[in-house]
Amino acid sequence: MLHLRLMVPADRTDEVLQLLDATVGTAHLAVLTGAARDPQGDVVLCDVAREAGDGVLARLRAMGLDQHGSIAVEDIDLSLSARADLAEEQAPGEGADAVLWESLTDETHEESTLSVTYLAFLALATLIAACGVVLDNAILIVGAMAVGPEFGPLAGLCTALVQRAPRLAWRSMTALVVGFAVAMVLTVGFSFFMDAVGLFTQHKVQGSRPNTSFIWQPDLMSFVVAFLAGIAGTLSLTSAKSGALVGVAISVTTVPAAANAAVAFSYGDYSQTWGSTGQLLLNLAGIVIAGTVTLALQKVLWAWHDSGPAQRPRR
């Protein structure tokens, strides 16, 4: 269930109440008359089944409530109520399959912002991966994959393509391009430093590395794995099952490929540099294509379950 807190201009309260009362999947409707001070008006509280949430939010925005009032949404971890159970039964579809597009757009907008924290995590992940490729250590590679924050901008780009949001697309592309560029430049400098102190050597980079040689040798399987990971990552975001994102992160070699390209470049091994760059681009493309297709299918399929007003069964 979702909990809605609405600040509504007094002259629009009846209209909002009629919408909520007529929409299947709602329960626990309450009105605090005159309780809102900024903006002035009434406070309307309501619980709504997750599978009906996107339709309700879309209609509230169509009424202009986001411009003249406010709409706040939060998840309810536990609701012991027969009315809530009835609302979930009446709402079409399953809550785990529902996509809250407003929430997804807002979340990916935040995750795809080019910030100091984002750059720091991506740079640190790339530096850890650099140590992993030189030492041929699979554990460090997996750790670097888990630290990397690049799935946020990738999800933002997929959402932008489906929602036709050019600003979000530009923000996501900027975060990806600038983020990886900064991380790889720092990794080149890191490689020079580690070589100077004797911790990195050209022999280690160009020698036999059975555990990590796949990073600069992209093939069709690289795209297949990235495509499947993109589907899993998108479903984890839309279904609010964020735990699956860890598995997605350690399934694709975006960060290790960027690290290997930078380390190889610092030693003048351009064959590894181009191979790793190809691996990076192949993984990014696979995730974006899979995520966009998944979101597009979810949007089409879930449109059949739209729970609009005047659909509540009579009691």
Side-chain angles (χ1 to χ4, degrees):
M1 293 289 287
L2 303 172
H3 179 66
L4 304 184
R5 187 189 72 242
L6 312 175
M7 291 188 179
V8 186
D11 60 342
R12 306 293 299 277
T13 301
D14 289 341
E15 183 182 1
V16 171
L17 292 178
Q18 289 177 6
L19 169 66
L20 295 176
D21 191 53
T23 301
V24 68
T26 58
H28 310 144
L29 183 60
V31 182
L32 305 178
T33 304
R37 299 189 62 179
D38 185 20
Q40 290 188 345
D42 305 326
V43 175
V44 177
L45 306 175
C46 179
D47 295 341
V48 58
R50 182 181 176 84
E51 49 268 46
D54 191 62
V56 171
L57 293 176
R59 293 178 181 90
L60 290 173
R61 293 198 66 181
M63 294 169 56
L65 189 58
D66 57 325
Q67 301 294 325
H68 306 291
S70 75
I71 305 172
V73 184
E74 56 186 11
D75 287 306
I76 299 176
D77 295 327
L78 177 64
S79 179
L80 303 177
S81 168
R83 288 182 177 272
D85 294 340
L86 180 62
E88 290 185 323
E89 291 176 4
Q90 292 176 347
E94 295 293 333
D97 297 331
V99 180
L100 295 178
W101 290 100
E102 297 293 343
S103 175
L104 179 63
T105 302
D106 182 72
E107 181 179 354
T108 52
H109 182 278
E110 180 180 350
E111 292 294 327
S112 60
T113 300
L114 183 62
S115 62
V116 174
T117 301
Y118 168 81
L119 288 175
F121 271 113
L122 187 55
L124 289 170
T126 309
L127 295 178
I128 294 172
C131 296
V133 297
V134 172
L135 298 176
D136 196 33
N137 189 315
I139 295 177
L140 291 178
I141 296 297
V142 172
M145 291 176 177
V147 172
E150 73 278 7
F151 190 79
L154 290 171
L157 182 58
C158 298
T159 304
L161 293 175
V162 174
Q163 293 290 81
R164 298 179 182 179
R167 289 187 178 181
L168 179 58
W170 176 253
R171 177 185 291 265
S172 301
M173 285 296 297
T174 301
L176 283 172
V177 174
V178 175
F180 273 109
V182 170
M184 292 173 74
V185 169
L186 289 176
T187 303
V188 170
F190 179 72
S191 297
F192 285 134
F193 171 77
M194 294 293 279
D195 181 80
V197 297
L199 295 177
F200 283 8
T201 64
Q202 188 169 2
H203 174 72
K204 290 180 179 180
V205 174
Q206 297 180 339
S208 175
R209 288 189 277 147
N211 293 325
T212 57
S213 60
F214 68 94
I215 294 175
W216 71 87
Q217 297 174 357
D219 53 21
L220 185 58
M221 281 301 298
S222 300
F223 180 83
V224 171
V225 172
F227 189 87
L228 296 176
I231 296 175
T234 302
L235 290 176
S236 71
L237 285 178
T238 58
S239 63
K241 296 184 182 298
S242 58
L245 281 177
V246 177
V248 173
I250 61 177
S251 300
V252 292
T253 55
T254 49
V255 166
N260 197 86
V263 173
F265 181 84
S266 69
Y267 283 104
D269 188 340
Y270 300 121
S271 62
Q272 279 199 43
T273 299
W274 286 115
S276 301
T277 302
Q279 180 79 274
L280 173 62
L281 295 177
L282 199 63
N283 277 267
L284 294 177
I287 294 173
V288 170
I289 293 173
T292 302
V293 171
T294 302
L295 287 176
L297 288 175
Q298 285 182 295
K299 190 170 187 177
V300 171
L301 294 175
W302 193 254
W304 297 350
H305 298 289
D306 184 36
S307 56
Q311 296 183 30
R312 184 188 294 276
R314 292 186 177 182
R315 298 171 182 170

